[in-house]
Amino acid sequence: MTEAQWFREAVVYQIYPRSFQDSNGDGIGDVPGIIARLDYLKTLGVDVVWLSPIYTSPQDDNGYDIADYEDIDPTFGTLADVDELIAQAHERGIRIVMDLVVNHTSDEHPWFVESRSSKDNPKRDWYWWRPAREGHETGAPGAEPTNWESFFSGPAWELDEATGEYYLHLFSRKQPDLNWENPEVREAVYAMMRWWLDRGIDGFRMDVINMISKVTALRDGQPIPGNPHLGDGTPHFLNGPRIHEYLHEMHAAVFEGRAEKLLTVGEMPGVTVEDAVLYTDPERREVDMVFQFEHVGLDHGDHKWDRRTLDLRDLKRSLGRWQDALADVGWNSLYWNNHDQPRAVSRFGSDAPEHRVASAKLLGTVLHLHRGTPYVYQGEELGMTNVPFAAHDDFLDIESVNYYRMAVASGSDAEEVLSALRLGSRDNARSPMQWDASDNAGFTTGSPWSRVNPNHTEINAEAALADEDSVFHHYRRVIELRHTEPAVAHGDFHMLAADHPRLYAFTRAHEGTELLVLANFSGDELPLDDVDGLDLDLDGWKGATLLLGNLGDPAAPTAPLRPWEARVLRR
Ligand code: NOJ
């Protein structure tokens, strides 16, 4: 393996700094808090930490609205704290990857402050400014330059009264989109990225990076039923016409000469497998891997708030297709959780008391045994669950708050909207990390910014570390497997029994070693001998070694799977 592919054997841990560990009692997590927990991460065995944004920010979208790319928000600490974090992480063999949010800035970023100051300001063209739609009175409903809906509800254009023009914001109105058509914007971003790399960080997770190239004609999208003025703009800005050019240019301007030591991952909603091959082909020099969203959309109906039950066959079809498509060229990232997704154990597993531990371990086993770089989101290694939110004012995230307001105002039943939020809100992922059973879960000595899940008295790191059978120790073992068993990082992937509704089974093969992963996604026993399409010589696996299991030794390697049992066999 060349050094360029070190990330194939690596596991990344995502920290959402606000919710990880508070060190100064203000109720919000911070960088010194992260430093204090590096030994915990070392014990877990992860190779890389990705930090969600800690830059100067008015926190309209919890830091994804950046007002100064080259400084740290005082809530989180100082640049000196970050230097210390980098040094201490490196001492433990852990790399640090920073979030890069450059599709948009905060409206409080000096670039935007200048840009909005007058129509002829030199930075006017750094953002997307347009007059009202022809024939419409500025400010009137429907006068926005296009009908695009923002991801956070309502129109994606905001009128700036001072100059009488609208600016584009695909996210909140405090997140104006940068105009990447302008080479000065690109140069400024690249310079900032080099500045961070020179400071010692090891790569970037690039926020919604496949939105930076827009179709410049800015035309209306397909109307969204039920709203006369809103449409779907995504075909005009997802994987846009110049996206590969920009990423390649960024690679040349920022990563050249040091790319082999770094990890770059592009967050790409709506990316297809065909796109992903192009983005991650090492020869093309764009990014190492992408975050795709297909598998986390399978339990959505018409939109993300319209939830339906996941069919395991859809999940296998989807992940299996991604495995096949990137088998020879490119590389996958693997994840169940992040700060935008509800908790995986409550969603793909079972958070019922009798199944939570087994199903959390099963999910970790299945994900980490795929080919690709796995990402663990803080608390996933404890089997943290969704939060029992009661009322609408328990929700704090801008996406949830705006959706609730908009849906109820347009006549939806408030209770139904609340149920949708309980299942799908990003707040589920953002409750404080559960360190121990004390009042605020050991997260803060002050008053936590977001509600601590009451189940922290049982589900917490202190208890997990002390219990060899915990989800934590299972994650530790599964992470270790990637480091010690070459077939886990490098083996070919082959899906089995694709049409079975409860069994997730696949093999990995590498240089004469074969692994078989068997997982029962249900609370009922699952005998293996009559599984259609399992296509396995079960007899040939009877003498196999159990590399890892989540329920203790089975009666035999191919014995019926117990509820939520997962096994990794080797021969
Ligand atoms: C994707 C991030 O993961 C999400 O948290 C954020 O709200 C949007 N991009 C906008 O930056």
Side-chain angles (χ1 to χ4, degrees):
M1 193 182 61
T2 65
E3 196 193 2
Q5 296 171 324
W6 63 271
F7 54 78
R8 293 184 176 218
E9 293 180 355
V11 176
V12 184
Y13 187 90
Q14 183 194 352
I15 291 184
Y16 195 66
R18 257 187 118 68
S19 307
F20 191 63
Q21 177 68 69
D22 178 20
S23 74
N24 61 0
D26 67 357
I28 301 176
D30 48 41
V31 176
I34 298 171
I35 296 173
R37 295 296 184 179
L38 283 173
D39 285 333
Y40 169 85
L41 299 177
K42 180 76 190 154
T43 306
L44 184 58
V46 296
D47 308 277
V48 181
V49 163
W50 148 33
L51 294 182
S52 278
I54 50 175
Y55 314 95
T56 310
S57 162
Q59 305 290 323
D60 188 53
D61 184 19
N62 287 359
Y64 281 91
D65 48 316
I66 298 171
D68 184 350
Y69 289 108
E70 295 183 3
D71 206 353
I72 302 305
D73 198 276
T75 320
F76 298 123
T78 62
L79 274 172
D81 292 331
V82 175
D83 291 340
E84 180 67 17
L85 171 65
I86 295 169
Q88 292 227 20
H90 286 176
E91 257 170 47
R92 290 166 176 82
I94 297 175
R95 292 164 146 108
I96 299 286
V97 161
M98 298 284 274
D99 222 304
L100 178 81
V101 189
V102 290
N103 172 68
H104 43 267
T105 66
S106 162
D107 66 338
E108 297 180 33
H109 194 292
W111 296 344
F112 188 75
V113 173
E114 273 196 52
S115 182
R116 84 185 317 170
S117 66
S118 79
K119 283 189 188 169
D120 51 20
N121 183 275
K123 289 210 168 53
R124 185 65 167 182
D125 185 47
W126 281 41
Y127 295 83
W128 296 87
W129 290 99
R130 291 291 183 278
R133 185 185 289 268
E134 233 180 87
H136 286 67
E137 191 189 326
T138 301
E144 291 81 14
T146 69
N147 65 355
W148 302 355
E149 185 183 33
S150 134
F151 288 105
F152 292 161
S153 302
W157 294 93
E158 180 74 5
L159 175 63
D160 179 56
E161 300 282 353
T163 56
E165 286 190 333
Y166 295 80
Y167 64 87
L168 177 67
H169 61 89
L170 295 181
F171 294 89
S172 98
R173 57 173 66 105
K174 287 185 67 62
Q175 292 167 297
D177 280 53
L178 280 165
N179 175 16
W180 276 68
E181 293 290 321
N182 185 328
E184 290 174 19
V185 168
R186 307 205 296 274
E187 262 320 311
V189 169
Y190 303 154
M192 171 274 282
M193 293 172 74
R194 287 190 294 263
W195 184 89
W196 272 106
L197 291 176
D198 292 345
R199 218 166 176 109
I201 66 154
D202 305 289
F204 294 100
R205 173 271 187 188
M206 305 175 182
D207 191 69
V208 294
I209 200 71
N210 65 333
M211 299 189 191
I212 58 178
S213 164
K214 278 100 173 154
V215 178
T216 53
L218 300 180
R219 295 199 206 295
D220 280 348
Q222 284 293 318
I224 293 171
N227 196 312
H229 301 306
L230 294 181
D232 173 15
T234 56
H236 306 263
F237 58 77
L238 290 184
N239 309 304
R242 298 183 69 185
I243 182 65
H244 292 290
E245 175 197 334
Y246 293 160
L247 289 178
H248 184 71
E249 180 185 83
M250 175 192 283
H251 195 289
V254 181
F255 305 136
E256 209 49 62
R258 47 185 164 190
E260 301 203 340
K261 296 192 165 50
L262 306 177
L263 183 154
T264 57
V265 50
E267 189 210 22
M268 300 198 177
V271 68
T272 63
V273 287
E274 293 78 20
D275 299 328
V277 174
L278 298 178
Y279 285 124
T280 67
D281 175 354
E283 300 279 304
R284 293 172 55 92
R285 296 172 183 272
E286 296 185 17
V287 291
D288 294 328
M289 60 193 110
V290 304
F291 286 134
Q292 56 95 4
F293 286 77
E294 202 176 276
H295 66 300
V296 289
L298 295 172
D299 57 356
H300 297 180
D302 289 342
H303 54 89
K304 97 165 244 185
W305 303 109
D306 174 20
R307 294 265 158 181
R308 60 177 191 203
T309 313
L310 175 79
D311 185 330
L312 185 71
R313 287 167 292 199
D314 292 340
L315 184 65
K316 289 189 287 183
R317 262 191 289 275
S318 169
L319 290 179
R321 213 158 46 78
W322 279 85
Q323 291 286 301
D324 291 345
L326 296 176
D328 299 324
V329 174
W331 191 245
N332 266 299
S333 69
L334 308 168
Y335 74 96
W336 295 130
N337 286 279
N338 61 41
H339 63 293
D340 294 330
Q341 301 292 331
R343 289 283 179 182
V345 70
S346 302
R347 182 182 189 186
F348 303 116
S350 164
D351 58 13
E354 67 277 25
H355 295 313
R356 183 188 63 84
V357 169
S359 70
K361 292 177 182 173
L362 170 145
L363 288 171
T365 312
V366 169
L367 190 83
H368 286 241
L369 265 289
H370 278 70
R371 186 179 155 91
T373 300
Y375 288 72
V376 180
Y377 177 67
Q378 64 184 45
E380 176 181 339
E381 76 282 13
L382 304 175
M384 275 177 64
T385 66
N386 279 350
V387 182
F389 293 111
H392 75 91
D393 50 10
D394 284 344
F395 293 94
L396 303 175
D397 174 37
I398 182 165
E399 182 192 45
S400 297
V401 170
N402 287 1
Y403 174 68
Y404 180 85
R405 195 183 305 130
M406 189 276 301
V408 171
S410 55
S412 300
D413 177 74
E415 259 319 303
E416 278 175 24
V417 178
L418 271 184
S419 313
L421 288 185
R422 285 187 196 109
L423 289 176
S425 173
R426 309 194 297 183
D427 283 312
N428 282 304
R430 301 175 179 188
S431 67
M433 179 72 178
Q434 294 167 204
W435 293 107
D436 61 36
S438 68
D439 274 359
N440 292 322
F443 164 68
T444 181
T445 54
S447 167
W449 74 274
S450 154
R451 185 170 156 203
V452 173
N453 194 321
N455 66 18
H456 73 277
T457 50
E458 189 207 334
I459 305 171
N460 64 67
E462 190 178 57
L465 281 163
D467 172 8
E468 269 302 309
D469 281 336
S470 65
V471 179
F472 178 91
H473 285 296
H474 188 84
Y475 264 75
R476 183 175 60 66
R477 287 189 273 267
V478 92
I479 291 167
E480 198 182 322
L481 262 192
R482 176 161 294 261
H483 298 142
T484 54
E485 177 61 65
V488 174
H490 306 290
D492 294 337
F493 178 99
H494 181 60
M495 186 74 85
L496 300 166
D499 293 327
H500 197 282
R502 297 193 286 135
L503 176 68
Y504 203 127
F506 55 91
T507 55
R508 303 289 312 280
H510 181 68
E511 293 180 353
T513 300
E514 217 185 339
L515 306 181
L516 171 62
V517 179
L518 297 165
N520 175 5
F521 271 71
S522 81
D524 299 313
E525 192 177 90
L526 198 166
L528 294 169
D529 31 27
D530 60 350
V531 170
D532 242 14
L534 186 51
D535 215 11
L536 263 189
D537 164 22
L538 279 182
D539 282 344
W541 284 95
K542 283 201 168 118
T545 324
L546 180 75
L547 263 191
L548 188 70
N550 66 344
L551 293 179
D553 285 346
T558 55
L561 292 169
R562 291 163 280 179
W564 295 103
E565 180 169 10
R567 282 178 212 152
V568 183
L569 304 177
R570 180 183 198 271
R571 69 171 186 192

